[in-house]
Amino acid sequence: MKTVIITGVTGQDGSHMVDFLLKNTDYNIIGTVRRLSVPNHQNIAHIKDPRFKLAHMDIGDPQSVNNTVQEYKPDYFINFAANSFVGTSWEMPVVHMQSNCMGVLYQLEAIRKFAPKCKYYNAGSSEEFGDVAYVPQDENHPLRPRSPYGASKASARQIVKVWRESYGLYAVQGWLFNHEGTRRGQEFVTRKITKGVADIVKSLGSNQIPRPIELGNLSAKRDWSDAEDFVEGVWLMLNQNEPKDYVLSSNETHTVKEFVELAFAAAEIEGFWLGESGTVGEVFVHKQFKYPLVVVNPKFFRPAEVDILLGDSSKARKEIGWSPKTSFYRLVKKMVSNDLENSLDKSK
Ligand code: GDD
């Protein structure tokens, strides 16, 4: 029986990867977790399969990484642990570099020493493309990060490449464009919007004036997909004859504004935009009651922005047979429905 180690297992991608592997393989899965005073295990609380076990490991502690790899001698090691929120990476650049880049180095060294046949995946990002040179971005696009987060992922990519080429390890790092879902953290813009919409529906239902959702740059364009589709792409990347890095993306781009419009429409709330587009005076207003539903707060602007991300995943589609199944529209609808259900549950 093969063994897969997954880090970041309590997060969105890690937990979906566990679900995917339990459903599609007969492998044993070790999910590594840091000790926390208050555990954050809600994304894996539903997993009862005895093939899934938790182990303590901290990606910042090379000794603990060595011990874990030495003990389990995994066949696969999937690194989804990271400081993944771009916005805070300017506030804590060192910790982003340590976890997102040095963490990868510790893992590759442990694999090289104790499990050299292990297949390794590190979570790469379209943020590595940053200040994009062309649209759409494919595997040949240069690395031009715009944030400490993007820089940490671009650096990790070089480490993965060097360890692959120097030691013959099967080590890959995909470029994953934005991927979302019902397990998404609430600070990311998609979940912030869908959760905000659900709160607004609740307020309107109890005849209260709703609190508007406060957002930053409404014009940013992102290529959003469903995280559940992406874990399958990661698994395909790990199971090729030769290790190769691929872009995973929907090949569509939408503004934050479009996400807002679709999310309110999914909750059957009609609204319209007022104020000059691209300014802090822009506001999305309830059609009937004229309440502000979305306002701009400059606090959420970033020191440097990635204006447009649009992926070209045609290589992954052709060479590893991957394709996303969930449309942008279905993704927004699924996230809104989930947050509406959660907010109804809480009000019972
Ligand atoms: N978070 C957030 N909050 N973003 C906002 C807001 C807001 O209030 N208002 C506008 N935005 C804009 C951001 O400026 C950015 O342009 C866009 O919405 C998306 O922001 P996030 O959802 O925070 O995601 P991200 O694109 O920065 O990063 C995500 O995708 C990367 C792949 O491209 C993360 O999942 C990264 O970990 C991932 O690598």
Side-chain angles (χ1 to χ4, degrees):
M1 183 91 80
K2 291 194 173 176
T3 300
V4 185
I5 289 183
I6 306 178
T7 70
V9 83
T10 55
Q12 170 184 265
D13 295 0
S15 60
H16 281 310
M17 186 52 110
V18 177
D19 289 339
F20 175 83
L21 292 179
L22 287 175
K23 190 165 164 223
N24 294 289
T25 71
D26 58 359
Y27 299 169
N28 287 318
I29 301 160
I30 310 298
T32 69
V33 285
R34 264 179 306 170
R35 202 207 74 82
L36 294 174
S37 313
V38 182
N40 55 346
H41 290 188
Q42 63 274 19
N43 283 339
I44 49 171
H46 63 283
I47 304 172
K48 307 287 177 231
D49 195 310
R51 286 186 291 136
F52 176 58
K53 247 177 57 181
L54 291 179
H56 274 137
M57 186 186 94
D58 191 317
I59 61 159
D61 175 352
Q63 191 60 56
S64 100
V65 177
N66 280 345
N67 291 345
T68 309
V69 173
Q70 204 169 6
E71 178 177 348
Y72 293 104
K73 299 236 168 358
D75 299 279
Y76 295 89
F77 191 117
I78 304 176
N79 183 38
F80 282 137
N83 273 292
S84 63
F85 187 55
V86 176
T88 54
S89 71
W90 282 273
E91 288 160 36
M92 288 177 273
V94 175
V95 90
H96 281 74
M97 205 62 190
Q98 278 167 343
S99 56
N100 299 355
C101 182
M102 291 304 290
V104 171
L105 178 52
Y106 301 149
Q107 291 164 18
L108 287 167
E109 271 297 85
I111 288 169
R112 179 177 76 80
K113 285 188 260 177
F114 304 117
K117 291 207 161 52
C118 172
K119 292 182 160 186
Y120 178 78
Y121 179 84
N122 184 45
S125 167
S126 46
E127 278 288 311
E128 296 171 52
F129 300 140
D131 178 19
V132 301
Y134 59 82
V135 179
Q137 297 87 42
D138 58 11
E139 290 80 1
N140 297 318
H141 191 284
L143 305 180
R144 297 159 57 110
R146 289 273 278 169
S147 62
Y149 168 84
S152 70
K153 289 287 183 182
S155 316
R157 176 171 304 282
Q158 307 302 346
I159 301 281
V160 170
K161 175 181 181 289
V162 169
W163 259 247
R164 177 170 67 218
E165 292 172 359
S166 308
Y167 303 113
L169 299 184
Y170 189 115
V172 289
Q173 172 165 323
W175 287 270
L176 270 53
F177 281 66
N178 296 50
H179 44 289
E180 317 294 315
T182 54
R183 299 182 190 169
R184 190 54 147 152
Q186 291 181 13
E187 71 274 48
F188 296 95
V189 77
T190 55
R191 190 72 196 284
K192 188 173 168 182
I193 295 168
T194 60
K195 173 81 177 47
V197 167
D199 291 345
I200 287 172
V201 168
K202 199 170 162 189
S203 299
L204 292 172
S206 46
N207 294 320
Q208 284 169 355
I209 299 176
R211 251 179 81 167
I213 307 169
E214 295 185 10
L215 296 177
N217 181 6
L218 298 172
S219 320
K221 290 182 162 176
R222 289 291 182 275
D223 179 331
W224 281 295
S225 297
D226 189 321
E228 288 185 65
D229 289 343
F230 274 24
V231 294
E232 186 187 2
V234 167
W235 189 242
L236 289 168
M237 247 185 267
L238 273 167
N239 287 288
Q240 315 165 71
N241 292 332
E242 296 292 326
K244 260 199 204 165
D245 303 325
Y246 289 98
V247 160
L248 299 185
S249 63
S250 75
N251 298 359
E252 270 179 38
T253 193
H254 299 274
T255 59
V256 172
K257 246 172 120 164
E258 280 176 79
F259 196 102
V260 166
E261 289 160 11
L262 224 52
F264 277 105
E268 295 177 354
I269 294 181
E270 286 188 80
F272 59 91
W273 293 99
L274 279 178
E276 197 184 328
S277 180
T279 68
V280 287
E282 205 171 5
V283 53
F284 190 69
V285 176
H286 193 286
K287 189 175 173 191
Q288 187 187 355
F289 303 121
K290 311 289 183 288
Y291 299 137
L293 300 176
V294 174
V295 295
V296 175
N297 185 339
K299 165 171 120 181
F300 297 108
F301 291 155
R302 294 175 176 176
E305 179 64 283
V306 171
D307 296 322
I308 174 163
L309 288 175
L310 171 59
D312 173 1
S313 52
S314 47
K315 212 165 157 204
R317 293 173 195 226
K318 189 164 162 240
E319 294 183 10
I320 55 172
W322 173 81
S323 64
K325 296 180 181 71
T326 313
S327 67
F328 177 61
Y329 173 76
R330 268 186 49 209
L331 172 68
V332 178
K333 201 149 173 57
K334 165 172 142 177
M335 292 179 71
V336 171
S337 302
N338 172 69
D339 281 324
L340 285 173
E341 269 166 40
N342 285 345
S343 94
L344 281 179
D345 271 1
K346 280 189 198 119
S347 52
K348 269 183 202 158

